[in-house]
Amino acid sequence: MNDKFYEQKKEKQDMMINGAMKIFALKGYAHASVDDMVKECGASKGLWFHYFESKKGLYSFVVSYAVKYAILEYGIKLEDKGMGLYDLLLEKEKVKVDLMGMYPYLPLLILSILNETDEEALSLMSDARESYIEALENIYVGIDRSEFEEPEDSFLIQKMITSTFADIMRDYYHKPVFLKEEYISECEKYIQMLKKFLGKK
Amino acid sequence: MNDKFYEQKKEKQDMMINGAMKIFALKGYAHASVDDMVKECGASKGLWFHYFESKKGLYSFVVSYAVKYAILEYGIKLEDKGMGLYDLLLEKEKVKVDLMGMYPYLPLLILSILNETDEEALSLMSDARESYIEALENIYVGIDRSEFEEPEDSFLIQKMITSTFADIMRDYYHKPVFLKEEYISECEKYIQMLKKFLGKK
Amino acid sequence: MNDKFYEQKKEKQDMMINGAMKIFALKGYAHASVDDMVKECGASKGLWFHYFESKKGLYSFVVSYAVKYAILEYGIKLEDKGMGLYDLLLEKEKVKVDLMGMYPYLPLLILSILNETDEEALSLMSDARESYIEALENIYVGIDRSEFEEPEDSFLIQKMITSTFADIMRDYYHKPVFLKEEYISECEKYIQMLKKFLGKK
Amino acid sequence: MNDKFYEQKKEKQDMMINGAMKIFALKGYAHASVDDMVKECGASKGLWFHYFESKKGLYSFVVSYAVKYAILEYGIKLEDKGMGLYDLLLEKEKVKVDLMGMYPYLPLLILSILNETDEEALSLMSDARESYIEALENIYVGIDRSEFEEPEDSFLIQKMITSTFADIMRDYYHKPVFLKEEYISECEKYIQMLKKFLGKK
DNA sequence: TATGAATGAGCCTTCATTCAT
DNA sequence: CATGAATGAAGGCTCATTCAT
């Protein structure tokens, strides 16, 4: 269905993908307008529909693209089984920051996916959303939780870290420039604090 | 400006407030439509404008109302200075659940306020938003952090709990019915786990 | 149909009539709103409809009232047959200025009637409009045109004076206060100039 | 701001301009509806906003266009300085009638501009209105008033002619078809009459 | 392939009109 | 009589979508 799109130059593809990601990530599905994307990255209105048929199709595509790309990177950089919970969650944030090199708004888009409440948007991306969650679970399965006396505790902490980092990342996106290194330091503060109390790994 | 509205029967007032809270909380300012509110609670389109002049005015009013009401309840139920961090944050969730008795979507609306990115919405509620944040800070000032060797740690933990509870609450709102007791139990799990490791109070 | 209305105190009647005249005269039929009239003179929205059934009915009534009142005054003050064209047209303006004492916007309303283009408005007041025009013609019939060699000329001049005074009056209404004496002086300038050249009477 | 519009075919431009002129001229700014224009000339509702952003923008544009066009024609056809008052004012009406060839409602629109009382409309066209009035003054400066013993008289007469012709023109527009030649004859009657009495030129 | 003119459904808002009190 | 709450149709405007070029 999006074959035509892939026949273009990679550069132009990425320009359009980044435009769409930015607008969708910042405004959410319903409030994002195709005109915004035209302004953001030049490609004409007709072209978006030529490649993606509809706003729905575009959203499906971009979300699915973002998820696939993120899963791929996670796969490459987080696969060394046997990492501890803390190191892995921190590493995961570093991967996200790396992703921003190519697709600056990809991590924010993924956060917005997980928080999206618009029913239409949810139905359009249900597959991508689930496959992202599943991929994360697969990664989490490999975590070495032996440091924790009660395994259940580690899951609660995992959830807390995830929620907290998501919140912080959203804040960083609201600043004029996303300060990558500062963001990672901030995450590290939490990890170090937790390590001090709750398991060393 | 909303004098007319307050002259109506309390029941009807609350019906409209709840309708507006629900739609704004679920869809956000920009994507909430007055038509949705008409469907939600019967009051005709014209009536919303009769009372609130504009969608902007309605949003301002509802947000401000929600914030005032929440601050009031916090004031009444969280004022015993000297509570520990954990007990206070848990108690705060209980207050929110109590608020749902009268205004089911009030807590979700407050979460949405804190996450809102639409610039128009932000400008409409800047006062309310700030007064809410300030009120929370005043409550947090009274927390007894003596259990924590490093006070800084307690602030990181506080942030983590807040982010986590917000996430969980959003999930509970996505279910067909908000299971209040289950929600509180879930929050307690986190608190108990943390108490085990990080201070007893 | 407007019996009910006439059963009120004269004062209140005139307050409402003046409110309606002002709004209709200033904004024209289509753009005048009943809310404007409420603001202008206090009588509640429901009351207008109680007395006049509809905006159409109100317009019909007010226009008809204005026309009747004006014709009455013209009848009283311009009836001395045998006046010359110039004196009569000037006297007519003086009558209008007198009318403002009781109904400040009556003369402007009459001008607006004669210029109205809105089809609905035209159909609502066709009778009043015609009876006004007819009444004027009856007055003009009594004019002594013996000063004019060619009677046709006097009709052209009459039309010119009428158009000119109407224009000037509109200008005066646009000022913060209608300066009555100044208005009459301005009219006199034209009359005197014309007398100099075109007949003495 | 209206670049897009000018890139269309001249024919289509003129069709839309004429539609807008007609509706604005007949109904005035406030009561003119874009729907009326849709009915009048086919272009869809969205298209008007595609080109003009808002009803305000459309009004500004059309008024400004009309004024510029009229001033241009006046410049071409009335520039022979040294014309007498009468000939010039008559010539001016002929220019207006010529303008109707391309833009049938342009002269009526200009009359409506000069009579408009709606505050919003006034603010939207203040520049155009003033530039029109100024252009007329520049033309009037060239008038040869030597026939008049008292120059002041000539200004009064000028005002009278202007008011009268405006009135007559409005009447002609209210007929099913604007009878151009008849209109000019009517104007000439006044001019001839005046010449007979008040200066020959 | 690429553009943007063109369309119409949907949303915010106004306002004449009705009706319960 | 008097009030103003309540309603819905109509108008301004946005935006996804189509289509001629």
Side-chain angles (χ1 to χ4, degrees):
Chain A
M1 174 175 171
N2 304 107
D3 303 343
K4 286 186 255 169
F5 179 68
Y6 284 122
E7 285 163 15
Q8 288 180 106
K9 284 185 197 156
K10 187 76 171 65
E11 268 177 45
K12 183 152 198 180
Q13 281 179 41
D14 282 346
M15 181 164 292
M16 290 183 76
I17 289 175
N18 274 326
M21 279 186 181
K22 178 171 178 181
I23 304 299
F24 280 131
L26 288 176
K27 308 210 167 184
Y29 170 70
H31 196 49
S33 88
V34 177
D35 280 336
D36 290 337
M37 295 175 197
V38 170
K39 281 172 211 150
E40 185 62 36
C41 69
S44 78
K45 214 165 176 176
L47 203 54
W48 291 97
F49 286 89
H50 177 68
Y51 286 132
F52 302 106
E53 295 239 303
S54 66
K55 187 182 168 184
K56 294 178 192 177
L58 171 57
Y59 188 67
S60 275
F61 173 81
V62 169
V63 166
S64 160
Y65 188 96
V67 162
K68 277 179 200 154
Y69 199 84
I71 292 177
L72 194 70
E73 291 293 304
Y74 287 165
I76 294 169
K77 297 184 180 160
L78 304 178
E79 235 171 353
D80 337 68
K81 312 273 183 177
M83 262 172 138
L85 176 67
Y86 298 137
D87 293 337
L88 184 128
L89 290 179
L90 188 57
E91 207 58 33
K92 192 178 134 209
E93 295 312 301
K94 286 180 185 166
V95 173
K96 285 185 189 169
V97 166
D98 285 349
L99 287 169
M100 289 181 205
M102 187 105 291
Y103 302 110
Y105 284 86
L106 195 155
L108 185 60
L109 181 65
I110 285 183
L111 289 184
S112 84
I113 291 169
L114 300 173
N115 266 333
E116 184 65 71
T117 58
D118 184 278
E119 287 192 32
E120 190 165 32
L122 285 171
S123 77
L124 289 170
M125 66 178 177
S126 57
D127 288 350
R129 192 178 153 123
E130 280 169 31
S131 74
Y132 182 77
I133 292 170
E134 197 185 341
L136 282 187
E137 279 168 5
N138 285 335
I139 290 169
Y140 294 153
V141 160
I143 292 175
D144 172 7
R145 298 174 190 269
S146 58
E147 300 296 328
F148 296 89
E149 287 178 19
E150 305 260 2
E152 171 61 12
D153 289 349
S154 75
F155 288 100
L156 297 178
I157 290 164
Q158 179 183 317
K159 164 81 177 165
M160 290 182 75
I161 295 172
T162 304
S163 294
T164 307
F165 287 0
D167 254 16
I168 297 172
M169 178 172 272
R170 270 187 291 261
D171 284 348
Y172 271 73
Y173 265 111
H174 290 161
K175 294 172 186 170
V177 183
F178 193 104
L179 302 167
K180 299 178 182 181
E181 302 191 4
E182 212 172 290
Y183 172 67
I184 294 299
S185 313
E186 183 117 14
C187 292
E188 280 171 344
K189 275 202 309 196
Y190 285 86
I191 294 301
Q192 278 156 20
M193 184 271 291
L194 289 167
K195 277 188 177 173
K196 198 164 61 181
F197 296 101
L198 309 151
K200 299 103 218 173
K201 231 191 181 174
Chain B
M1 176 176 171
N2 303 107
D3 305 345
K4 284 190 232 166
F5 180 67
Y6 283 122
E7 285 162 16
Q8 295 316 109
K9 285 185 196 152
K10 188 78 172 66
E11 266 176 48
K12 183 149 204 180
Q13 279 179 42
D14 283 346
M15 182 165 294
M16 290 184 77
I17 288 175
N18 275 325
M21 278 185 181
K22 178 170 177 182
I23 304 299
F24 280 133
L26 289 176
K27 307 212 168 188
Y29 170 71
H31 193 51
S33 90
V34 177
D35 280 340
D36 290 338
M37 295 175 199
V38 171
K39 283 170 209 151
E40 185 61 36
C41 69
S44 78
K45 213 166 177 176
L47 194 55
W48 290 97
F49 290 91
H50 179 66
Y51 286 131
F52 301 106
E53 297 241 299
S54 65
K55 187 184 167 185
K56 294 178 193 179
L58 171 57
Y59 188 67
S60 275
F61 173 81
V62 169
V63 165
S64 159
Y65 188 95
V67 162
K68 276 179 201 153
Y69 199 83
I71 292 177
L72 193 71
E73 292 293 305
Y74 288 164
I76 294 169
K77 298 184 180 160
L78 304 179
E79 233 170 351
D80 336 69
K81 311 275 184 178
M83 260 174 141
L85 176 67
Y86 298 136
D87 293 336
L88 185 128
L89 291 179
L90 188 57
E91 208 58 33
K92 194 179 131 207
E93 295 310 301
K94 287 179 184 165
V95 174
K96 284 185 190 171
V97 165
D98 285 348
L99 287 170
M100 289 182 206
M102 187 106 289
Y103 302 110
Y105 284 86
L106 195 156
L108 185 60
L109 181 65
I110 285 184
L111 288 185
S112 85
I113 290 168
L114 300 174
N115 267 332
E116 184 65 71
T117 57
D118 183 278
E119 285 193 34
E120 190 164 32
L122 285 172
S123 77
L124 288 170
M125 65 177 177
S126 58
D127 288 349
R129 191 180 152 123
E130 279 168 32
S131 76
Y132 182 77
I133 291 170
E134 198 185 339
L136 283 187
E137 279 167 5
N138 285 335
I139 290 169
Y140 293 153
V141 159
I143 293 174
D144 172 8
R145 298 175 190 269
S146 58
E147 299 296 326
F148 295 88
E149 287 176 19
E150 306 261 2
E152 171 63 12
D153 289 349
S154 76
F155 288 100
L156 296 179
I157 290 165
Q158 178 182 318
K159 163 82 178 165
M160 290 182 76
I161 295 172
T162 305
S163 294
T164 306
F165 287 179
D167 250 18
I168 297 173
M169 178 171 272
R170 271 188 288 261
D171 283 350
Y172 271 74
Y173 266 112
H174 290 160
K175 294 173 186 170
V177 184
F178 192 104
L179 302 166
K180 299 179 184 180
E181 302 191 4
E182 212 172 291
Y183 172 68
I184 293 300
S185 312
E186 183 118 12
C187 291
E188 279 171 344
K189 276 201 309 193
Y190 285 85
I191 293 301
Q192 279 156 18
M193 183 272 290
L194 289 167
K195 276 187 177 173
K196 200 165 60 182
F197 296 101
L198 309 151
K200 298 105 219 174
K201 225 186 186 178
Chain C
M1 175 176 168
N2 304 108
D3 304 345
K4 287 185 254 169
F5 179 68
Y6 285 121
E7 286 163 16
Q8 289 181 104
K9 284 184 197 154
K10 187 76 173 68
E11 267 178 46
K12 183 151 198 181
Q13 281 178 39
D14 281 346
M15 181 164 294
M16 289 183 77
I17 288 174
N18 274 325
M21 277 185 183
K22 177 171 178 181
I23 303 299
F24 279 131
L26 289 176
K27 307 209 169 186
Y29 170 71
H31 195 49
S33 88
V34 178
D35 280 336
D36 290 336
M37 296 176 197
V38 171
K39 281 172 211 150
E40 185 61 36
C41 69
S44 77
K45 213 164 174 176
L47 202 53
W48 291 96
F49 286 89
H50 177 69
Y51 286 133
F52 303 106
E53 294 239 302
S54 66
K55 186 183 169 186
K56 293 177 193 177
L58 171 57
Y59 188 68
S60 276
F61 173 81
V62 169
V63 165
S64 159
Y65 189 95
V67 162
K68 278 180 201 153
Y69 199 84
I71 292 176
L72 193 70
E73 292 293 306
Y74 288 164
I76 294 169
K77 297 185 181 158
L78 303 178
E79 236 171 350
D80 337 71
K81 310 273 181 180
M83 261 174 142
L85 175 68
Y86 298 137
D87 293 337
L88 184 129
L89 290 179
L90 188 57
E91 207 59 32
K92 193 180 132 207
E93 296 310 302
K94 288 179 184 164
V95 174
K96 286 186 190 169
V97 166
D98 285 347
L99 287 169
M100 290 181 205
M102 186 106 290
Y103 302 110
Y105 284 86
L106 194 154
L108 185 60
L109 181 65
I110 285 184
L111 288 185
S112 84
I113 291 168
L114 300 173
N115 266 332
E116 185 65 70
T117 58
D118 184 279
E119 286 193 32
E120 191 164 31
L122 285 171
S123 77
L124 288 170
M125 64 178 177
S126 56
D127 288 350
R129 190 178 154 125
E130 279 169 31
S131 75
Y132 182 77
I133 291 169
E134 199 185 339
L136 283 187
E137 279 168 4
N138 285 334
I139 290 168
Y140 293 153
V141 159
I143 292 175
D144 172 7
R145 297 175 191 269
S146 58
E147 301 295 328
F148 296 88
E149 287 177 19
E150 307 259 4
E152 170 63 11
D153 289 348
S154 75
F155 290 100
L156 296 178
I157 290 165
Q158 178 182 316
K159 164 80 178 167
M160 290 183 75
I161 296 173
T162 305
S163 295
T164 306
F165 287 0
D167 253 17
I168 296 172
M169 178 172 272
R170 271 188 289 261
D171 284 348
Y172 271 74
Y173 266 111
H174 289 162
K175 294 173 185 169
V177 184
F178 192 103
L179 302 167
K180 298 178 185 181
E181 302 190 4
E182 210 171 293
Y183 171 67
I184 294 299
S185 312
E186 182 118 15
C187 292
E188 280 171 343
K189 275 201 309 194
Y190 284 85
I191 294 300
Q192 280 156 18
M193 183 271 291
L194 290 167
K195 277 187 177 174
K196 199 165 57 181
F197 297 100
L198 309 151
K200 298 103 217 173
K201 228 186 182 174
Chain D
M1 176 177 170
N2 303 107
D3 304 345
K4 284 189 233 166
F5 180 68
Y6 283 123
E7 285 163 15
Q8 297 315 109
K9 283 185 198 156
K10 188 78 173 63
E11 267 177 47
K12 183 149 205 182
Q13 281 180 40
D14 282 346
M15 181 165 292
M16 290 184 77
I17 288 175
N18 276 325
M21 278 186 181
K22 177 171 178 181
I23 304 299
F24 280 131
L26 289 176
K27 308 213 169 186
Y29 170 71
H31 192 51
S33 89
V34 177
D35 280 342
D36 290 337
M37 295 176 198
V38 171
K39 284 170 208 149
E40 184 61 35
C41 70
S44 78
K45 211 167 178 174
L47 194 54
W48 291 96
F49 291 92
H50 179 65
Y51 286 131
F52 301 106
E53 297 240 301
S54 66
K55 188 184 167 185
K56 294 178 193 178
L58 171 58
Y59 188 67
S60 275
F61 173 80
V62 169
V63 166
S64 159
Y65 189 95
V67 162
K68 276 179 202 154
Y69 200 82
I71 292 177
L72 192 71
E73 292 293 305
Y74 288 165
I76 294 169
K77 298 183 181 162
L78 303 178
E79 234 169 350
D80 336 70
K81 312 273 183 179
M83 262 173 140
L85 177 66
Y86 298 137
D87 293 337
L88 185 128
L89 291 179
L90 187 58
E91 207 59 33
K92 192 178 135 208
E93 295 311 300
K94 287 180 185 165
V95 173
K96 285 185 191 169
V97 167
D98 285 348
L99 287 169
M100 290 181 204
M102 187 108 287
Y103 301 111
Y105 284 85
L106 196 156
L108 185 60
L109 181 66
I110 285 185
L111 289 184
S112 85
I113 290 169
L114 299 174
N115 267 333
E116 184 65 71
T117 57
D118 183 278
E119 286 194 33
E120 190 164 32
L122 285 172
S123 78
L124 288 171
M125 66 176 177
S126 56
D127 288 349
R129 193 178 151 123
E130 280 168 31
S131 74
Y132 182 76
I133 291 169
E134 197 185 338
L136 283 187
E137 280 167 4
N138 285 334
I139 289 168
Y140 293 154
V141 159
I143 292 175
D144 172 8
R145 298 174 191 269
S146 58
E147 300 297 325
F148 296 88
E149 287 178 20
E150 306 261 3
E152 172 62 12
D153 290 349
S154 75
F155 288 101
L156 297 178
I157 291 165
Q158 178 183 318
K159 164 83 177 163
M160 291 182 75
I161 296 172
T162 305
S163 295
T164 307
F165 287 179
D167 252 17
I168 297 172
M169 178 172 271
R170 272 188 288 261
D171 283 349
Y172 272 73
Y173 266 112
H174 289 161
K175 294 173 185 170
V177 184
F178 193 103
L179 302 167
K180 299 179 184 178
E181 301 190 5
E182 213 172 290
Y183 171 68
I184 293 299
S185 312
E186 183 119 12
C187 292
E188 280 171 345
K189 277 202 306 195
Y190 286 85
I191 294 300
Q192 279 156 19
M193 184 272 291
L194 289 166
K195 277 188 177 174
K196 199 164 60 183
F197 296 101
L198 309 151
K200 298 105 219 174
K201 231 190 180 173

